[in-house]
Amino acid sequence: MEETDREAVATAVQRVAGMLQRPDQLDKVEQYRRREARKKASVEARLKAAIQSQLDGVRTGLSQLHNALNDVKDIQQSLIDVNKDWRQSINTIENLKDVKDAVVQHSQLAAAVENLKNIFSVPEIVKETQDLIERGELLQAHRKLMDLECSRDNLMYEQYRMDSKNTHDMNLIHTYFGDMQKLSEELAKQLWMVVQRSLVTVRRDPTLLVSVVRIIEREEKIDRRMLDRKKQTGFIPPGRPKKWKEKMFNILERTVSTRIEGTQADTRESDKMWLVRHLEIIRKYVLDDLIVAKTLLDQCFPPHYDIFNKLLNMYHQALSTRMQELAAEDLEANEIVSLLSWVLNTYKSAEMMGNSELSPEVDVNSLNPLISQNVVDQLLSKYMSTLTSNIIGWLRKALETDKKDWIKETEPEADQDGYYQTTLPAIVFQMFEQNLQVAAQINEDLKTKVLLLCLQQMNSFLTRYKDEAQLYKEEHLKNRQYPQCYVQYMIAVINNCQTFKESIISLKRKYLKIDMEDTLSSSHTSMDATLDVIAKEGCSSLLDEVFMDLETMTMEAHRRVVVEYIRAIMLKRISFRNAEERKEGAERMIKEAEQFRFLFKKLAAGSGEDTEGLCDIIEAIAEVIKLTDPSLLYLEVSTLVSKYPDIRDDHIAALLTVRGDASRDMKQTIIETLDQGPSQPNPNYVPIFKEITVPTLTVPKLLK
């Protein structure tokens, strides 16, 4: 207490010191005192009120404790009295055991009397119930079946209460009601038949389906009641619980699975489009069934059955199982695309689960994938592998077909501008377009992969195309008469290069994302380079063809000039009159032969053509004409004949006539002597005089 007083005094001193820090504050001392007095009175009043409240509470508590003590004493006395009465009644309870047994027996007899009518009429009720089941009156049949089961269950329960170990009597009751179990099974068969055809029944006879649901609900209530009694007494009748609701959902699940599996009407052997047809039938059946389930079936079941969502899950699970089975088969490329397109796109589209008639109950975003991403990746990998092989085969076949056109005797087709072309670019890029359109049905990623694959194979294909064009040129050079339309088809090959370039650009612009163009720049450059090489080599081949034709024409012109020159000499009607004229004429012929040689040698430069031999014939004839000694004429003519064995008598006669100094006898002698002499022709000599026709100078004609 003293400690508290000291703390209070110290606190008061501090407050007073705080109030009186300046001299002018001494005038307010009385004011401070009155204010502190008011505060003190207020604190004391609150303190008194609090203490009074505490005292009242303590007083009330003490009163309640006193009352509780009195109650405890009363209860204690009552317990003593009850204990005394209980001890006194033990003997009385033992004396009432016989009464208890009598009560139990009375209860059993009462149950027997109550069910007596049913017990004696069991065979009749069984027959009536069987007839009702056969007539389809399922509700009435089930009502009678419940009555029979109730009678049996009550009897067995009373027997269980009296003597739970007496199995003989229990078996006796069970045997007596044995036909009832068969009725239950028969009724269940009828119910399951209706459940299996529920989507059809709900359209034709919804009342029948409602009756089946009511029967199942009755059995569910009985099951729950029997299970509750088992918890209390340990007794449950035979065959309980039936769990017909669970069986109903199991049957619905099996029905859905069977319906999905049964939609495959064709096989790959009978129809190449079997999978497309199968998936379309599934789509139609599932959509129709779910619409019926939402609009009609849902009204026939209690809300807590949640029948539409249950069926939705069943169909989804059955579809998932079926899609996984199909994915595990050895599918072809087009079948893989059909399956993935259906699974990834069609299933959640407005054509199926996203249909407006199923919303809002069906949320496509909450549906799990029909097949796992791992399976999708495996299918895509298999598709790309198969597609790679197919594209390689298609390109090879297209090139082989185009090569067959190259050797045709008809010209290639021309475009609208009249330029030669073949169908190869159109076939190749039509194939690419088809595969890209198919891939786009699945997703953008696959479309990009297919485009990259097409361009990659196109790069390899163009290399083969270049090689085949080169082989085409080489084969033609072996025999320039074959193929007949070589030039036209080579022009078409060159034009195809431009078509290929334009088609590649168009394909990339249509199917390639802008951000992916850099990844294909090197490939595009390589293809452009290959096409440029093909076009360049093709143009070079055409130029070679032109030059070879020019060489052939030059050779032919050279030969024709020499032939016509010699013919002009031999057909000339004017003869040289003297040696001087013959010399001048011969020198002119030699000079002109040199001019011919120079001209055609220049035209045939680099071709390897022999420009000397043909001009040598003119010089040889000039030597015969230039000869001044007639006695040597035979020798000169024989030399001419030995060099050019195709020269005939009429040629020699015409040549001697041109000289103008050979007598008739000399001509005859020279011709006859040459005819008798052996001829040894040069194997490399190409006959030329056989192309020169001069009038035959027979002896009579000479005489004339």
Side-chain angles (χ1 to χ4, degrees), residues 424-461:
L424 182 62
I427 293 174
V428 169
F429 283 93
Q430 182 181 7
M431 175 191 66
F432 287 169
E433 282 272 359
Q434 290 174 350
N435 284 282
L436 285 166
Q437 291 172 3
V438 168
Q441 296 175 4
I442 299 177
N443 54 46
E444 287 293 321
D445 183 53
L446 180 62
K447 183 186 73 174
T448 303
K449 288 183 179 178
V450 172
L451 176 60
L452 295 176
L453 172 63
C454 291
L455 295 178
Q456 178 185 359
Q457 294 303 321
M458 186 66 192
N459 201 353
S460 303
F461 168 76

Side-chain angles (χ1 to χ4, degrees), residues 311-322:
L311 275 175
L312 177 62
N313 291 332
M314 290 177 189
Y315 273 102
H316 181 79
Q317 186 58 43
L319 286 172
S320 178
T321 301
R322 182 56 182 158

Side-chain angles (χ1 to χ4, degrees), residues 58-71:
V58 171
R59 188 179 297 111
T60 302
L62 290 174
S63 176
Q64 290 177 351
L65 287 173
H66 181 71
N67 293 335
L69 178 61
N70 292 334
D71 291 341

Side-chain angles (χ1 to χ4, degrees), residues 3-53:
E3 183 68 23
T4 303
D5 291 342
R6 284 196 298 271
E7 291 180 358
V9 171
T11 302
V13 170
Q14 289 180 355
R15 292 193 63 187
V16 171
M19 295 177 184
L20 303 176
Q21 292 182 354
R22 298 190 303 276
D24 58 341
Q25 290 178 331
L26 292 175
D27 296 337
K28 299 180 181 180
V29 170
E30 185 61 28
Q31 182 181 349
Y32 292 153
R33 187 184 65 80
R34 286 195 301 271
R35 187 176 63 186
E36 293 300 322
R38 286 196 300 270
K39 288 183 179 180
K40 178 181 180 184
S42 176
V43 171
E44 287 178 350
R46 290 199 300 272
L47 182 60
K48 287 179 181 179
I51 292 173
Q52 184 64 38
S53 176

